[in-house]
Amino acid sequence: MTPHKLNVRHPARPALLTTGMSMLLGVCGPVYGQEDPIVINPRRELPLLEFDNVHASLGLEYRWQEDTSDTTGQPTTTETEQEFRELFEVSTDGFIRHPNLVHLSLFGSMILEQNDFDSDTPSGDRQVGETLQEYDARATILRRSNTPLTVFTRQFQTLLDRQFGPTIESTDTASGFNWLVTLPQARHSFSYTQRKTSQNDPSTSGNNSFDQIEDLVDISSQINLGEYQDLDFNYRLNKIDLTAPVRADIHYTRHDTDLTHTVDFGNDHQSNIRSRFEFFDQQGDFAEERFRWDEIVRLTHSPTLESRYHFTALDQQRAGLTQRAYNGDALVRHRLYDSLVTTAQVGGHAEDFSDGFKTDGKFGDLALEYTKLVPRGRLSGDLRLRYDQQDNGERGQPFQVVREPHAFVGPSPVILARSNIDAASIVVHNIANPVGPAVYSEGIDYRVTVLANRIELRRVLTGRITAGENVEIDYTVDPEPAHNVTSNTVGLGLRYDLQEGPLSGLGVFMRYLSIDESIRSDRLIVVVPNNVEELAVGVEYRLGVLIFEAEHIDHDSDISPFEQTRFEVILHDRISSTDSLDIRVQHTETEFIDEDNTATQFTASGTFTHEFSRKLNGRIELLWFDLSEDIGEDSTSFEQRFDLDWRYRQTSAFLQIRNEVFSSNSSDTTSQSLFAGVRRNF
């Protein structure tokens, strides 16, 4: 007799079978004396609160640091710090009632810290003991649903090692929530975070802390209005309170809202139109209000031809002025096979201000990019022609330039090319350095030099502005008469790379730039025209793991002309499965002609890593920096660092030794440190 089989395609059959068996059991009574029913795969009764994956660790850390400073005209000072830290950490995952109801992720650390300072400074000898807590706690409610809510709080302390500068203690605390709502045609996010950041130099006493409190509300929505139509909404509120010992406090509240609508159309929906509306309001310091409307149309006419049309309307209030601006441009780009890309663009703008100032302008731009495989290599080149004209009305009162972008590149200063700038009004904003303050400080982070036709800003080597960092600068300009500015730009670039033969890897290049700028006015003008003629030639050679580069730049201009020669060697070699070596050496000599100043900069850095075994790894880092100038201070720095990391099963240990020497015309500083620790995980 063939036994019955349950068929999931016919749910009525198992129901009838179950009913029949129940009736049979009811008639026949218990079998083999069994009184309770048999339960297959019983559901486990979940507790109200449960934790698993519990991990714990104990650690001991010791740090020693000695700093010596010898400044001209002041007594030599030495400060020694010893720090002992005992750590206990525990982490776990868990849930309340059910993993999908409230999921928990918890981390906590208790740190006992004892500091002993031996100092020649006025702060004197002192002992400091404190208890620190680091934690990261997260609770996610309904994490597998369409509306998960995450609540979090965290606090961590890190040591920020700066090149040629003291180690900074940074404590970051954040608390808030994030709520996601996912619908069939939309996704919404709501979050709030309060973040507190405190940075200070523990080697000094007194109030030396940079403290910033930020309240952040973030609301965003992505809505699909159709197969080829989307709507995005974003709102962000920032409330910043920054206090520092060397300058005035900064307080502002910022609202930033934008709404973007995008529609794809045309053949294969490769064309689109995007409309964006933005409202920005900042109250307090650096007050500003802005409404902006952008309209962008992108058309794909064929696989080789495309065009773009852009219109912007702006209404802005800042620094006591109301500005209305209208900008428009059109761009056409054509590709001829893979060799030639031609781009043509025309546009114009018109602006007026509440103080009566008006400006308008127009421009045209033609660019060609060419790439071609030639005998033994590749030839590439580009040509750019541009025409600009701008008519500026009279400004009868001082006005403020806000958030002008600049970058601190090499030994070259940041140049503000006007002769009527109020130097006391300069504010340098941090936009790229996550561990720096919102606004940098003169004398600590940069120096200001006022010249006849410009102002120069130079980075302080031991400050918080990093090499090559992008910043934004505010400053106030005195009144200017009406004037007209016309410029013609020609740019040309050529490069030939050998890819075959004994010189494979060799590339030679040149760049040429010419800017012919004229300024016309009925009265004496304080704006300086920037006529530029620049020629750069260079060579690059790649030989296995080595890269050799050499470049010479002749920059002839009305504002800060210079000549620069640069040599650079780069090596990156994975020597073996256990060893790697990185070396970078650069020599740059820059002659600032109108300052009668030559700056010579030499930088050499090297890193060697070695894996002694699966348990032990080592690393050596060396950095040498030398800067000499005919005017200003010469400086030399040498930094050495040695690291060892050891791990065996659940036990790990580390050792870090660091030595830094910095010398300039007015001061000499040395810093040695040793950092060691051991940790046991359970």
Side-chain angles (χ1 to χ4, degrees):
M1 183 176 180
T2 303
H4 290 286
K5 296 182 180 180
L6 297 182
N7 191 337
V8 296
R9 296 184 179 179
H10 302 282
R13 292 184 180 180
L16 291 174
L17 180 61
T18 304
T19 304
M21 292 181 65
S22 300
M23 294 175 62
L24 181 62
L25 291 173
V27 172
C28 298
V31 180
Y32 302 114
Q34 179 178 330
E35 298 181 358
D36 296 326
I38 298 175
V39 180
I40 301 175
N41 294 327
R43 176 177 296 180
R44 180 173 71 94
E45 183 69 23
L46 295 176
L48 176 63
L49 179 64
E50 180 174 303
F51 293 103
D52 57 9
N53 296 324
V54 179
H55 301 279
S57 65
L58 289 173
L60 296 174
E61 294 180 357
Y62 170 75
R63 184 167 67 91
W64 172 88
Q65 181 168 330
E66 183 174 272
D67 299 309
T68 302
S69 177
D70 183 5
T71 303
T72 303
Q74 299 182 14
T76 301
T77 60
T78 299
E79 182 163 79
T80 303
E81 176 192 3
Q82 294 189 78
E83 178 183 83
F84 296 90
R85 289 161 61 101
E86 300 86 32
L87 307 90
F88 173 70
E89 295 180 354
V90 62
S91 63
T92 182
D93 295 328
F95 62 84
I96 299 177
R97 181 53 68 186
H98 191 277
N100 295 327
L101 180 62
V102 180
H103 180 266
L104 303 175
S105 178
L106 306 176
F107 167 83
S109 175
M110 177 71 71
I111 304 172
L112 302 179
E113 185 175 289
Q114 305 89 42
N115 296 85
D116 185 1
F117 295 95
D118 183 5
S119 176
D120 296 335
T121 64
S123 59
D125 301 342
R126 60 193 188 280
Q127 288 79 37
V128 179
E130 59 180 331
T131 302
L132 305 175
Q133 294 86 32
E134 293 185 343
Y135 51 83
D136 188 352
R138 297 173 180 269
T140 303
I141 303 171
L142 303 176
R143 63 172 179 164
R144 293 187 179 178
S145 72
N146 293 332
T147 57
L149 172 66
T150 300
V151 183
F152 65 88
T153 181
R154 62 178 179 266
Q155 176 175 286
F156 290 98
Q157 184 185 80
T158 56
L159 296 177
L160 307 176
D161 291 330
R162 298 184 300 158
Q163 287 185 356
F164 317 127
T167 299
I168 299 298
E169 283 188 357
S170 179
T171 302
D172 187 278
T173 305
S175 300
F177 71 87
N178 183 27
W179 183 33
L180 296 177
V181 179
T182 303
L183 303 175
Q185 301 296 327
R187 179 181 174 87
H188 309 283
S189 173
F190 310 88
S191 66
Y192 167 76
T193 303
Q194 183 182 77
R195 181 180 179 183
K196 300 179 181 179
T197 303
S198 178
Q199 298 179 359
N200 71 289
D201 179 1
S203 65
T204 61
S205 61
N207 181 20
N208 63 3
S209 176
F210 289 84
D211 299 311
Q212 179 172 298
I213 300 177
E214 177 183 14
D215 291 281
L216 173 63
V217 176
D218 203 332
I219 301 173
S220 64
S221 296
Q222 295 84 43
I223 304 172
N224 180 248
L225 301 178
E227 187 176 2
Y228 302 104
Q229 190 173 178
D230 297 300
L231 183 68
D232 293 338
F233 170 79
N234 295 282
Y235 168 76
R236 171 168 287 197
L237 181 148
N238 285 80
K239 185 176 182 295
I240 299 290
D241 295 292
L242 175 65
T243 59
V246 295
R247 52 172 168 73
D249 297 345
I250 296 176
H251 307 279
Y252 61 82
T253 301
R254 176 188 298 167
H255 303 266
D256 195 354
T257 307
D258 68 81
L259 181 68
T260 304
H261 178 247
T262 306
V263 179
D264 298 331
F265 61 92
N267 293 332
D268 297 327
H269 298 89
Q270 293 184 2
S271 302
N272 63 71
I273 180 171
R274 185 170 74 97
S275 304
R276 183 175 184 269
F277 302 90
E278 178 195 8
F279 177 74
F280 178 91
D281 180 37
Q282 182 165 310
Q283 302 171 357
D285 295 320
F286 316 114
E288 178 181 350
E289 183 179 289
R290 178 176 69 245
F291 175 77
R292 176 169 174 155
W293 169 32
D294 284 276
E295 205 72 35
I296 302 177
V297 179
R298 292 183 174 89
L299 302 178
T300 301
H301 306 280
S302 71
T304 60
L305 181 63
E306 62 184 44
S307 61
R308 188 203 68 189
Y309 309 90
H310 185 197
F311 170 77
T312 299
L314 176 69
D315 189 295
Q316 181 172 260
Q317 298 180 23
R318 62 184 179 187
L321 289 177
T322 299
Q323 175 192 9
R324 290 183 176 87
Y326 305 93
N327 296 267
D329 66 83
L331 179 146
V332 177
R333 179 175 289 115
H334 179 261
R335 293 177 174 84
L336 181 62
Y337 304 111
D338 294 328
S339 299
L340 181 63
V341 178
T342 304
T343 304
Q345 185 179 14
V346 295
H349 74 275
E351 303 176 38
D352 63 84
F353 295 77
S354 58
D355 63 352
F357 172 72
K358 294 184 178 181
T359 179
D360 60 74
K362 53 184 176 289
F363 73 91
D365 192 292
L366 176 64
L368 293 90
E369 301 174 24
Y370 180 78
T371 302
K372 186 69 173 178
L373 290 176
V374 295
R376 296 188 177 276
R378 178 184 295 271
L379 177 66
S380 58
D382 60 86
L383 172 66
R384 183 180 182 186
L385 306 174
R386 183 178 176 92
Y387 170 81
D388 287 274
Q389 179 180 314
Q390 183 165 319
D391 296 312
N392 299 315
E394 182 178 3
R395 306 200 85 143
Q397 60 184 17
F399 64 96
Q400 188 172 19
V401 176
V402 179
R403 297 280 183 174
E404 186 174 83
H406 292 276
F408 288 92
V409 180
S412 301
V414 166
I415 297 175
L416 307 180
R418 295 175 183 266
S419 60
N420 54 338
I421 296 175
D422 179 6
S425 68
I426 294 174
V427 178
V428 180
H429 296 271
N430 170 20
I431 62 171
N433 187 351
V435 300
V439 175
Y440 289 117
S441 301
E442 181 183 355
I444 296 177
D445 302 306
Y446 64 91
R447 300 191 306 270
V448 175
T449 303
V450 180
L451 301 173
N453 61 350
R454 66 188 182 277
I455 285 183
E456 295 183 350
L457 279 66
R458 280 184 165 83
R459 182 175 71 96
V460 175
L461 186 62
T462 56
R464 292 162 295 182
I465 301 177
T466 59
E469 182 175 333
N470 293 312
V471 297
E472 292 180 341
I473 300 178
D474 300 344
Y475 56 90
T476 300
V477 181
D478 292 335
E480 293 178 348
H483 59 281
N484 171 275
V485 182
T486 302
S487 65
N488 296 282
T489 303
V490 177
L492 175 66
L494 289 173
R495 183 181 178 102
Y496 178 46
D497 290 287
L498 289 168
Q499 299 174 333
E500 299 176 5
L503 293 179
S504 176
L506 177 66
V508 293
F509 60 89
M510 62 83 64
R511 298 189 310 272
Y512 174 77
L513 175 66
S514 174
I515 302 176
D516 182 12
E517 186 173 270
S518 62
I519 299 178
R520 299 191 306 270
S521 176
D522 295 335
R523 289 186 288 168
L524 179 65
I525 186 69
V526 293
V527 180
V528 181
N530 188 24
N531 293 301
V532 175
E533 189 164 358
E534 179 180 289
L535 177 63
V537 293
V539 60
E540 178 184 278
Y541 185 44
R542 295 175 177 265
L543 180 63
V545 297
L546 283 170
I547 301 175
F548 301 90
E549 293 182 2
E551 182 182 50
H552 178 77
I553 301 175
D554 187 353
H555 180 90
D556 185 13
S557 68
D558 295 333
I559 300 175
S560 192
F562 66 87
E563 289 189 20
Q564 184 180 88
T565 302
R566 177 180 63 87
F567 299 97
E568 187 168 11
V569 180
I570 302 172
L571 180 146
H572 176 70
D573 188 11
R574 181 72 177 178
I575 302 173
S576 67
S577 60
T578 60
D579 301 301
S580 65
L581 179 64
D582 290 277
I583 296 177
R584 190 183 193 107
V585 180
Q586 184 182 87
H587 174 86
T588 304
E589 184 174 295
T590 307
E591 181 183 359
F592 300 99
I593 297 172
D594 63 347
E595 299 178 30
D596 195 21
N597 177 33
T598 299
T600 302
Q601 178 177 303
F602 177 80
T603 305
S605 62
T607 302
F608 175 72
T609 60
H610 176 67
E611 183 179 331
F612 297 94
S613 66
R614 292 185 177 182
K615 304 182 185 70
L616 183 62
N617 294 285
R619 180 185 180 96
I620 297 176
E621 294 183 17
L622 302 175
L623 175 61
W624 175 274
F625 178 88
D626 182 86
L627 176 63
S628 61
E629 298 183 82
D630 294 336
I631 61 175
E633 285 198 322
D634 298 340
S635 57
T636 301
S637 303
F638 185 36
E639 178 180 331
Q640 313 103 58
R641 176 169 169 169
F642 173 70
D643 290 90
L644 276 179
D645 290 287
W646 176 80
R647 179 180 296 274
Y648 179 69
R649 294 183 178 178
Q650 294 177 288
T651 304
S652 61
F654 69 91
L655 172 66
Q656 179 189 112
I657 301 174
R658 185 176 178 183
N659 179 56
E660 299 176 19
V661 179
F662 176 81
S663 177
S664 67
N665 295 350
S666 60
S667 65
D668 296 309
T669 61
T670 60
S671 177
Q672 291 88 32
S673 65
L674 183 148
F675 191 20
V678 61
R679 176 170 300 198
R680 170 70 177 179
N681 297 321
F682 302 96

